[in-house]
Amino acid sequence: MKVSVLYGTETGNAEMLADDIRSALCGKHDINCINLADLDPGALSSETFHVFVCSTYGDGELPASAKPFAEELARTGDGLSGIQFAVFGLGDAEYAETFTHGSLKLAELLKSCGATQVGERMTHDASGDCLPEDVAVPWISEILNQFPVHSKEM
């Protein structure tokens, strides 16, 4: 299965988690890892499963590297029919009112443009006791196991 791990980051935490996910899935899937700052929404393919890893910045905003992608997606509107994705949010629950809102906003935008979310949005609390990869890797592995073909061809 082709899998793209796409990350939006402000300080590099989402990038590190995206790389951890890529490493964990490498060998089981045809996988790449891309900063959202380097991706045009038109490049999303229905032949690839997309895993978005997104932090939250400021008052619940998207991080800097996700903003150009989101702005272009909002400008071009729909056109993501056939795109399947999962989303993982990073945040700090000490900021309860905006906890992981960056990933929430990104998921809502993708769905409003016709993409289909697979599984529930998973989040990680930076104030918690566990590492983000300890939550993210089992979560995405379970989601990918939902697909009938577990090979590098999708």
Side-chain angles (χ1 to χ4, degrees), residues 27-88:
K28 299 173 190 165
H29 302 280
D30 179 4
I31 189 163
N32 62 13
C33 193
I34 303 170
N35 187 334
L36 284 174
D38 300 327
L39 183 68
D40 183 310
L44 297 176
S45 170
S46 62
E47 296 178 5
T48 300
F49 187 82
H50 306 280
V51 182
F52 289 87
V53 178
C54 189
S55 62
T56 299
Y57 184 70
D59 294 327
E61 301 303 319
L62 289 170
S65 79
K67 285 183 179 176
F69 175 84
E71 290 167 359
E72 180 65 13
L73 188 56
R75 188 185 68 74
T76 57
D78 58 7
L80 297 184
S81 177
I83 300 297
Q84 294 183 310
F85 72 96
V87 63
F88 190 94

Side-chain angles (χ1 to χ4, degrees), residues 81-152:
S81 177
I83 300 297
Q84 294 183 310
F85 72 96
V87 63
F88 190 94
L90 295 168
D92 189 331
E94 289 188 21
Y95 303 98
E97 291 184 19
T98 60
F99 178 63
T100 67
H101 279 204
S103 63
L104 178 63
K105 289 178 178 179
L106 185 59
E108 293 302 320
L109 178 59
L110 289 162
K111 289 188 286 189
S112 75
C113 293
T116 301
Q117 183 175 340
V118 177
E120 291 189 33
R121 183 176 64 96
M122 184 59 76
T123 62
H124 177 264
D125 177 9
S127 298
D129 294 332
C130 62
L131 297 171
E133 60 268 29
D134 293 341
V135 178
V137 171
W139 163 79
I140 194 59
S141 295
E142 184 176 323
I143 286 174
L144 293 176
N145 283 337
Q146 294 177 20
F147 291 92
V149 177
H150 303 286
S151 68
K152 291 185 177 184

Side-chain angles (χ1 to χ4, degrees), residues 4-34:
S4 284
V5 182
L6 311 168
Y7 61 90
T9 191
E10 189 75 30
T11 62
N13 290 333
E15 180 179 5
M16 288 188 292
L17 178 57
D19 193 52
D20 288 341
I21 292 170
R22 184 198 54 78
S23 294
L25 299 178
C26 191
K28 299 173 190 165
H29 302 280
D30 179 4
I31 189 163
N32 62 13
C33 193
I34 303 170

